Amino acid sequence: MKFDHTYQAIPHDCYLIERAFAKPIIGEFLDLFGFADVAFEDLKFRAGDEDFAFFLSEAQKIRQLHKGIENRRLNLRHRWDPLLFVLLKYLSESGQHNDLQLVRRAITGGDILGEVICSASGAPLRFNSAFETNRIAACLSRLDSEVLGRFWNEAEMEKAGVIGIHETDGIREPNLVGRDLERLRDFYNSAAHHGE
């Protein structure tokens, strides 16, 4: 497993997505910066880059139209895999099989935008529609973060390759999954509230 993604809420009619089909570098910019105000060092490094200038202009317009969107961003670093593993186990053992696919898409991502639209690491960008975001938010709201620690099983997780490599050694705390679920739920609730 071992994936490390950053999730960014995005307006459902965002022109940057359409533009990324013609200019895939826009996908990398979305991954790297989201809708944040870009630091001077990045501006200096990319001086004269027309695609970057276009991205910054569009990101600024989006920030003005969608207040706080730059903060609707989430990265759990190397804790995505343990959270997914524990949530799927929790859903399976509690008989909530109907939510398995939705939770999987909430964590691993929705539909691939296009094979050429990739993150800075080369992974295809994925997209959940505003409709699906609403469904995910409702699903996550039904889950009890207090009980997730009960489904933490290091032996099973090591066998499945979820934990055990150097990057994950620091996440062997069962209580983290409950907090990570809360952060994921807050992210989806906020995106759903704003129709993103």
Side-chain angles (χ1 to χ4, degrees), residues 24-142:
I25 191 71
I26 299 295
E28 287 187 36
F29 296 153
L30 274 169
D31 173 50
L32 290 171
F33 306 108
F35 297 110
D37 227 352
V38 175
F40 176 74
E41 283 302 311
D42 289 307
L43 290 170
K44 189 170 83 173
F45 176 71
R46 290 178 163 80
D49 182 335
E50 291 179 13
D51 294 328
F52 191 60
F54 168 79
F55 170 77
L56 293 180
S57 172
E58 287 298 308
Q60 182 180 25
K61 290 176 193 171
I62 289 167
R63 280 195 308 275
Q64 290 169 349
L65 291 171
H66 302 271
K67 298 296 183 198
I69 195 166
E70 67 274 14
N71 300 319
R72 292 189 284 283
R73 191 166 168 86
L74 178 65
N75 190 326
L76 299 177
R77 303 287 175 217
H78 297 286
R79 297 193 314 269
W80 290 106
D81 287 313
L83 177 60
L84 178 61
F85 183 90
V86 171
L87 276 174
L88 294 180
K89 186 173 173 125
Y90 163 54
L91 290 170
S92 293
E93 292 187 14
S94 62
Q96 299 178 59
H97 302 286
N98 292 341
D99 291 333
L100 287 169
Q101 186 60 25
L102 204 53
V103 166
R104 189 181 309 275
R105 285 176 65 87
I107 294 176
T108 61
D111 300 322
I112 292 175
L113 280 174
E115 290 184 19
V116 297
I117 306 173
C118 297
S119 69
S121 66
L125 290 187
R126 294 178 172 270
F127 182 81
N128 289 319
S129 69
F131 174 75
E132 189 170 30
T133 298
N134 280 323
R135 291 183 59 222
I136 289 170
C139 172
L140 295 176
S141 293
R142 294 190 297 268

